[in-house]
Amino acid sequence: MEIIGKLLKKGIRLRESLEQDYSFPADLQKMELRKLLIQARGTEFGQAYHFNELLTSFKHKHSNHFYDEFKRNIPVHNYSSMYANWWHKLMQGKPDVCWPGKVKYFALSSGTSESASKHIPVTKDMIKSIQRTSIRQILTLSKYNVSDEVFSAGILMLGGSTQLQRNGSYFEGDLSGITAGQIPFWFQHFYKPGKRIAKTRDWNEKIEEITLKAKDWDIGIISGVPAWLQILMERIIDHYKVKTIHDIWPNLTIFVHGGVSMDPYRKSFEKLLAKPLIYMETYLASEGFFGFQYIPFSKSMRLVLNNGIFYEFIPFNETNFTAEGEMVDNPQTYKIDEVEEGKEYALLISTNSGSWRYLIGDTIKFVSKDDCEIMITGRTKHFLSLCGEHLSMDNMNKAVELVSDELNIRVKEFTVTGEKYGSLFAHRWYIGIEDETDPKLFKERLDARLKEINDDYKVERTAALKEIFVELIPSQLFYKWMKAQGKEGGQNKFPRVLKKEKLESWKAFLVEENVELKGG
């Protein structure tokens, strides 16, 4: 970290960052796709889809010919089709299936909509790409007024266990556990909680060990999912009987977060601080490191265009997705120079981990097309549109944040479901809070804010969406349910929308906990 600090002071920037700053996005992405096809042309996938022939299309004088041929030859995939046709072979130890060599690591990811864990391949090339993008992000700290002490302090990364599960020819675990186990030697002195604690699989045991060691550490940067870091900081504050986390870590300055919007957590999170933090958002998924906050204090992130990933964009609308968020066959797809600002797209990726035209399930919109600045708006299956209200995760986060501020309460978690209401429809919100507030007032304010944010919702509240119900419940119930699902700690997030099996599991859990629903 001291080395990084010196580089920052000199304004050092990586060649790859400069390359992206001074290149046309479509040109970078064209080169990236060509590299991916060249490297994978000898694999089973590359031979099945004639990558050698595809590569000749890059010499065509028409600038879009390569992409037309790419779309025409290679079908789009979701996890089920990619696994059934290709990735299951990787788990049997077979080399050269979708990417050269054997795959040693698989990141376990349930997304937030499926019940069974997905096994996402993580190749050596992908691990190197993630490390390179991480360094690029750290170097953006030169844009902030950060004290020297931060770079001599440690960085606490609260992720999954680095003690991976061996399964025949491969290892499986959280991506955070896989990457933390591969950190460069120069970083190990600054990395906390250290190798021994990082191996701990039991979440409560890990939190307890970190709490006991916290007073011995000087932490400048924390990284992880907001909900779990908040629980950790509350535990530390309570254990040492102090007012804020800065009484233990006075140099704590930066919070690197991702996976969920920070906005709903901000009010309760900041009550644990003595001074404001710099928030840096990342777009790191099990499938790769896609982007990070490049402009200080911005709410958008810049896609990384030249580090092992080729992006495509599917308009997130009724033409390309069903009411349940399932992708249709042969959806419309666009490359990066064909998108429009402000429109919502589902993300397709082709990567150096052997994903090809793969739907990761996230939806994004472009804030700036020229600078490739994006915002994550939700998940393809994490929206509610029972009757045309088109309520996105972005809408939900914003509305809850506004109501929290208006009522001066801390919402720690929430989720929403859709249900029949007579012959029409209703939404039911489960709000996790500890503060006292009037449920009727919360409902009125939430409904009002959603109407302001989303015109379709406003229209449907006068038509088919006849009612909304609000259940105010202890936030601890959300974490208890996640523990019962085997999803406690690490990179796990509570689903913002519950449907199908997970909804039934949640309802059954509330019955077991004797929770009386008062919303109707």
Side-chain angles (χ1 to χ4, degrees):
M1 287 290 287
E2 289 161 315
I3 296 171
I4 294 292
K6 290 176 182 177
L7 293 176
L8 290 172
K9 283 186 175 297
K10 294 179 180 179
I12 297 295
R13 301 183 60 212
L14 298 181
R15 177 188 59 79
E16 292 87 353
S17 295
L18 292 169
E19 186 179 66
Q20 178 157 340
D21 276 351
Y22 301 120
S23 300
F24 184 50
D27 291 341
L28 285 179
Q29 280 283 274
K30 182 177 182 179
M31 287 190 290
E32 208 59 38
L33 179 59
R34 183 170 57 202
K35 288 178 191 174
L36 291 170
L37 293 171
I38 288 171
Q39 285 184 268
R41 69 190 187 282
T43 64
E44 281 189 43
F45 193 98
Q47 292 176 13
Y49 290 106
H50 311 293
F51 278 14
N52 276 322
E53 293 175 27
L54 260 179
L55 282 161
T56 64
S57 66
F58 283 78
K59 298 193 292 186
H60 198 277
K61 63 181 180 180
H62 191 281
S63 61
N64 272 339
H65 184 65
F66 80 95
Y67 185 54
D68 292 337
E69 289 299 295
F70 182 66
K71 290 195 294 185
R72 187 174 68 82
N73 280 276
I74 302 176
V76 295
H77 295 90
N78 57 20
Y79 177 78
S80 297
S81 61
M82 203 75 211
Y83 178 84
N85 295 322
W86 303 100
W87 286 350
H88 75 278
K89 301 177 185 179
L90 304 176
M91 299 174 71
Q92 297 165 5
K94 194 170 185 181
D96 305 323
V97 177
C98 298
W99 194 253
K102 285 187 177 183
V103 176
K104 184 178 179 181
Y105 301 105
F106 286 85
L108 294 178
S109 170
S110 62
T112 34
S113 55
E114 310 288 341
S115 54
S117 288
K118 301 174 183 177
H119 285 74
I120 309 297
V122 181
T123 62
K124 291 179 181 178
D125 288 314
M126 177 55 75
I127 291 171
K128 289 177 183 176
S129 290
I130 290 171
Q131 290 173 345
R132 284 195 297 267
T133 299
S134 298
I135 296 297
R136 287 168 73 166
Q137 181 184 26
I138 289 172
L139 289 175
T140 63
L141 288 171
S142 62
K143 301 178 181 183
Y144 297 85
N145 184 23
V146 178
S147 69
D148 292 348
E149 287 78 10
V150 173
F151 300 107
S152 59
I155 175 169
L156 174 64
M157 300 169 65
L158 189 63
S161 172
T162 57
Q163 185 69 44
L164 305 176
Q165 182 73 41
R166 187 178 183 92
N167 199 332
S169 62
Y170 64 87
F171 295 89
E172 63 185 31
D174 284 355
L175 179 69
S176 59
I178 294 170
T179 54
Q182 305 284 320
I183 59 174
F185 75 91
W186 58 266
F187 185 69
Q188 291 176 12
H189 172 70
F190 302 95
Y191 165 64
K192 299 293 185 280
K195 287 186 175 182
R196 184 186 64 79
I197 297 176
K199 287 182 178 180
T200 306
R201 287 179 176 163
D202 183 88
W203 169 249
N204 285 313
E205 184 182 337
K206 177 181 285 187
I207 288 292
E208 183 62 23
E209 291 200 59
I210 292 173
T211 299
L212 295 175
K213 293 288 291 183
K215 69 180 187 308
D216 301 326
W217 298 337
D218 178 18
I219 300 296
I221 302 173
I222 54 175
S223 174
V225 173
W228 302 120
L229 269 167
Q230 181 175 323
I231 289 171
L232 171 64
M233 292 197 303
E234 288 172 343
R235 183 81 65 90
I236 293 171
I237 290 169
D238 181 64
H239 179 82
Y240 293 104
K241 307 302 178 188
V242 294
K243 289 185 176 180
T244 74
I245 196 66
H246 282 109
D247 293 318
I248 303 297
W249 297 330
N251 289 317
L252 179 59
T253 304
I254 299 162
F255 176 23
V256 181
H257 66 93
V260 293
S261 170
M262 184 66 197
D263 292 340
Y265 299 97
R266 195 179 298 269
K267 194 172 188 67
S268 56
F269 195 86
E270 291 182 347
K271 285 186 177 293
L272 308 175
L273 310 174
K275 59 184 179 182
L277 297 183
I278 294 170
Y279 296 97
M280 299 184 70
E281 188 172 6
T282 63
Y283 192 0
L284 175 59
S286 297
E287 295 85 357
F289 199 161
F290 305 135
F292 55 85
Q293 188 175 319
Y294 185 75
I295 301 170
F297 310 109
S298 168
K299 288 213 168 188
S300 61
M301 293 178 286
R302 177 165 294 184
L303 280 179
V304 175
L305 304 180
N306 55 345
N307 196 15
I309 301 170
F310 178 75
Y311 305 95
E312 299 175 79
F313 308 91
I314 307 175
F316 189 53
N317 55 32
E318 291 86 349
T319 302
N320 297 309
F321 290 88
T322 69
E324 290 299 319
E326 298 288 350
M327 179 175 59
V328 302
D329 294 334
N330 302 313
Q332 298 169 303
T333 64
Y334 300 106
K335 55 186 173 67
I336 201 157
D337 57 325
E338 298 170 330
V339 299
E340 297 180 44
E341 291 178 6
K343 289 194 174 180
E344 208 166 10
Y345 296 94
L347 203 56
L348 277 182
I349 56 169
S350 298
T351 77
N352 57 10
S353 255
S355 298
W356 294 101
R357 307 201 75 202
Y358 175 72
L359 182 76
I360 65 171
D362 290 336
T363 58
I364 59 118
K365 66 179 177 183
F366 279 82
V367 176
S368 169
K369 181 178 173 180
D370 290 342
D371 294 325
C372 298
E373 290 283 328
I374 64 157
M375 293 180 66
I376 301 172
T377 58
R379 301 274 298 168
T380 55
K381 295 183 181 180
H382 276 204
F383 71 100
L384 274 184
S385 195
L386 301 176
C387 49
E389 68 272 35
H390 302 118
L391 197 63
S392 72
M393 203 158 74
D394 192 42
N395 297 158
M396 300 169 199
N397 286 327
K398 187 63 179 175
V400 169
E401 180 194 11
L402 290 171
V403 175
S404 300
D405 288 341
E406 288 172 22
L407 300 182
N408 194 27
I409 59 173
R410 295 165 294 171
V411 173
K412 291 192 172 182
E413 284 292 350
F414 72 88
T415 192
V416 60
T417 69
E419 58 189 55
K420 291 288 288 183
Y421 185 68
S423 60
L424 298 172
F425 303 97
H427 290 173
R428 188 177 297 273
W429 291 75
Y430 299 88
I431 308 292
I433 62 173
E434 305 304 325
D435 304 317
E436 290 292 327
T437 193
D438 180 359
K440 183 178 179 183
L441 181 60
F442 192 104
K443 169 186 169 178
E444 290 172 355
R445 296 288 178 90
L446 180 64
D447 196 28
R449 295 298 159 257
L450 288 169
K451 288 174 182 175
E452 292 171 1
I453 293 167
N454 186 318
D455 288 338
D456 290 336
Y457 177 89
K458 182 178 180 180
V459 169
E460 291 306 326
R461 284 293 282 121
T462 66
L465 188 60
K466 282 300 181 184
E467 187 57 276
I468 74 165
F469 302 113
V470 171
E471 311 289 352
L472 302 182
I473 62 177
S475 55
Q476 196 58 37
L477 288 173
F478 289 81
Y479 308 129
K480 191 173 181 180
W481 181 78
M482 290 189 74
K483 183 176 182 179
Q485 299 287 305
K487 299 294 180 182
E488 186 179 34
Q491 300 301 111
N492 297 300
K493 288 87 65 177
F494 198 100
R496 287 291 177 245
V497 179
L498 289 173
K499 299 178 181 179
K500 297 182 177 179
E501 293 89 352
K502 287 200 172 182
L503 174 55
E504 294 308 312
S505 170
W506 174 246
K507 286 180 176 179
F509 169 78
L510 294 179
V511 170
E512 290 174 7
E513 293 293 318
N514 297 313
V515 175
E516 181 182 352
L517 301 185
K518 300 174 182 178

